[in-house]
Amino acid sequence: MPNRRDIVAQNVDDDLPPVVDLTQPLALRSKRTERQRRKQQKRAFSTTPADQSTRLVDLPLELMMAILELLRPSDIFALLRVNKELRTFLLSNEAIIAQPIVRLRYPILERCLPRPVGLGNIESAIISLLKSPDRPDLGSHRNAHQNIPPPDNTLHCTCMTCLVRWNALCAVIDFAHWQDHLDKGIPIPTIPRGTSPRWNQELLARNRRVALNSLTSPLWYARILEAHLDSTTRSIRRHSQNKADQRRHYHINAADIRTGTDEFLQQNGPPTFDYPYARDLYYMLEVFLPGRSWISELQKWVYMPQTQDWHETDLRILVRMDEKRHFGVVSETQPLRGNKYDVPKCPVVEVTEIWVEEGCSQSRAVTETSTISAADIDHWLEGSPRRSFPNGVYARAVRIVWVGEERGSRRVSPSTQALQRLTEGWGLDDALRYARSCFAGVSTLESDLESQVFTVCYHPKLVAIWRRVEPAPGLTPEIQLIIFIEGEERSELHRILGSEWTGFTAAHPMFPALLCSLVLAHGLDNTLEDIKAAAREVEARTGHHRFASRRQTQPAAGELGSLSAQMSGCAAKLATGTRKLKVVEAINDFISQHDPGKSGRIKGEEEAAYIAGSQGRSAHGFTHSLSASSLGLLRHRAQMQAIDVAYVQQRVQVQIAALFHLIAQQDNAIAFDTASATRRIAASSLQDSSSMKMLALVAMFFLPGSFVAALFSAPLFAWDEAVARNGIGVGTRPQFGLFWAVTAPLTALVFALYGLWMCIQTRMDRSESHKTTPLEF
């Protein structure tokens, strides 16, 4: 407990008034203090927010972008050197800054001078083929121009299309470098053939850096277009002032130059086909705009398309050349892109129409396939949607246009013009362009006609694009389908369409997807059956199986390589079958997702009520639903096919492994036989060596006697005098000295030539060993 003294002190403090701080700062009245205060005020005034708001980066983004769009690319590069903050902003947004500038100032130059495609947009397998030093088309890619640096296959594509783009871009950069020489009449330095001076190497290196920067930087690309526009205007003005040049020129005035755009290049002028493959052509070059041509009938310029079709076509050709060089065959899986089905003239079009009875969704649909004239397409498109049949009035539910090679004939229909009229009439232009760019899959696109457009792609076998048109109330919706198909798949689809289809199924919006799923599934079954037949044959030849009913006809000897290649081909077909199976599963899921009945929630009597009523329409206008049993059947078939694919794949892998072991055993047997033969040859060589030694000993035994007999038989000694003296001593004749005078030098010459030949042989062996020795780094 607090004591009494603390309580009294607390009461006394409560009675006192609070303490107030009345101290004030002392006023400083010195001149030094005043000067310090004025300096602080001046510094604060120089960094007020009012002055900061006048900077460019503090403006609203929309206003800043509107200002930057009016500048030239050289002005943007000048702004990069203002400060770090502005530089960071411009570099981080250079794509959205450069694109409006190019579209406003250089639309013609952009269409004439496209950039090569970067390696980031190319598949890795094709990139490795492009970088290969022994690529099949490398001979046509060699750069022999002294004014164009070589391309870099590690940064951009080097196909024929991209190489032409690279050469044109580098020629533009080099042409801009020599404009001052051309204006002042200073001769461009010439380069003797076979030489490469240092100044030209440095210039080519600089041009190469600028061209490579333009591939990744839109600002650099816009700056190149600006430089080429300046080169073009200076060249036109220079040639126009030359009275000796009587060629037709472009008309340009001071106003065109002040605008800073290439709009004046739209006017009629001389052709621009001249390609500056050497600097000597710069003197007569006026306008260099590759990729465009003047059509006198239309009185306008026509430009090369800026799509990736040409680039992709070159890549496909490169792949096919490589396959043909390695395997002697060309791959069959070529995508349905480019102009494969571009037919200039074809008088007919094959079409199919499916009619359903009005008011009876369970009745059988009527399928009619006919050939119409290309001139009657408009009349066919405007045909009546109703038709009388013996059973009653039928409504048209499906229209199909077949594109590709016709059955029974080698004719491809329809023509390109007829196909364009059909796609424009049905609003399938965007779907066709998308289908040409997609390799495999199923997709939905939004159409301009307030209806969904569907695509199924599996190049090169099948491509289908369609949409479902919602007519006026009381009429049956119509499916408009264009399908690219030929060969066995086309015959199979005709057979499927000839089956009995109910009007309910034919009028379903996913009916084309169902047809594609059935065709691809049937093709997968055929592929699996072919692979099984090949596997059975190989199993019978190798004997590596446990099938009691399969007997080995004869051992697989002498053709293991062909059997292994056959199994490798089966493995590749299985990979294609797996991809086809994935597409089939994707189509089945797509049908289920776009089925308004949600996979069979509408059944039996509810289904009929749902079809008859108009309240059940979804946002897309679907009024029908496939039954759950149908969708389940499709999924079950795909599952069984997946099991079959896995089973066949295991059989093929087993046979590939068996053939590998058989080939290894055969190689081991061959190596054993070779070793045995070598051992026998070594034994024979040893026996021959012993025989040669015996012959040498015999020759050594008889050689002294033979030499002495031959020497004594020569007329070198006086035998008659020796007989007369009746003694052992034999005198020599003058020929004896002549014999040794000739024999001794001749023997020395023979040994000298032998020694010289041995030295030459030793030097040749050393040089050969130096050539074959690998380099050490």
Side-chain angles (χ1 to χ4, degrees), residues 125-139 142 153-154 158 318 322 325-326:
I126 301 181
I127 292 177
S128 60
L129 182 58
L130 290 172
K131 293 181 179 180
S132 175
D134 57 344
R135 49 188 284 192
D137 62 336
L138 191 61
R142 302 194 182 277
N153 59 358
T154 62
T158 54
L318 179 61
D322 183 70
R325 183 168 61 93
H326 284 88

Side-chain angles (χ1 to χ4, degrees), residues 388-394:
S388 297
F389 283 83
N391 297 335
V393 179
Y394 280 65

Side-chain angles (χ1 to χ4, degrees), residues 108 111-112 265-267 272-273 289-306:
I108 299 175
R111 298 176 68 180
C112 296
L265 295 175
Q266 275 290 39
Q267 61 179 308
T272 58
F273 297 142
L289 296 177
R292 76 170 188 171
S293 176
W294 177 261
I295 305 300
S296 58
E297 292 80 2
L298 303 177
Q299 289 296 309
K300 68 175 183 179
W301 292 100
V302 178
Y303 298 85
M304 293 288 289
Q306 296 299 314

Side-chain angles (χ1 to χ4, degrees), residues 142 303 405 484 496 669:
R142 302 194 182 277
Y303 298 85
E405 190 173 287
F484 295 78
I496 293 174

